[in-house]
Amino acid sequence: MTDRMRKVNSVVREAVAEIVEELKDPRLGFVTVTGVDTAPNLRHAVVWYSVLGPPEQRQATQQALDAAAPRISHAVGREIRMKYTPKLTFRLDESIERGARISQLIHELEDSEE
């Protein structure tokens, strides 16, 4: 990945995080934007996010973000000067949960060895 694309991803991530924070949809849980992968042609971007809560909350948050994606994309276009405003696709980042689960398993192993 080039430095330019890293910078684009970072700027888009910050803008999306600010916009999502301002959304008033009751379906949204506690959302954290963890990353953005923008296509080299700048036409599409995958926004990775994590959300706290049960699976129902994650599903409701996904629906809320999918519904708000055009508005968020439009707001990103107003905030950031780019040749194209990327079409946003939201995907759940499960790496945080996997890390927590691995940590839990390690602690369980340590406890069983004692």
Side-chain angles (χ1 to χ4, degrees):
M1 181 182 299
T2 65
D3 287 338
R4 177 179 178 262
M5 288 310 298
R6 274 192 211 89
K7 183 168 181 155
V8 167
N9 289 340
S10 176
V11 170
V12 172
R13 184 188 59 76
E14 290 174 16
V16 170
E18 288 176 14
I19 295 162
V20 167
E21 192 174 293
E22 296 170 0
L23 291 176
K24 303 293 182 203
D25 193 320
R27 297 176 293 178
L28 284 175
F30 183 71
V31 177
T32 302
V33 177
T34 59
V36 172
D37 293 326
T38 307
N41 66 4
L42 305 177
R43 303 243 181 191
H44 300 284
V46 175
V47 178
W48 297 95
Y49 71 94
S50 65
V51 62
L52 295 177
E56 299 82 22
Q57 181 65 56
R58 287 185 224 132
Q59 185 176 10
T61 298
Q62 180 70 53
Q63 292 170 349
L65 290 172
D66 288 343
R71 268 185 293 145
I72 296 169
S73 181
H74 184 72
V76 166
R78 284 192 315 243
E79 277 193 35
I80 302 172
R81 278 225 183 270
M82 293 173 54
K83 186 172 184 177
Y84 302 106
T85 301
K87 178 183 177 192
L88 303 177
T89 304
F90 289 89
R91 294 208 180 125
L92 182 63
D93 183 357
E94 296 176 346
S95 62
I96 294 172
E97 288 179 26
R98 274 188 256 132
R101 177 70 179 138
I102 290 170
S103 180
Q104 177 187 9
L105 291 172
I106 290 171
H107 288 299
E108 289 174 6
L109 282 173
E110 289 173 348
D111 291 343
S112 69
E113 288 178 357
E114 293 176 356

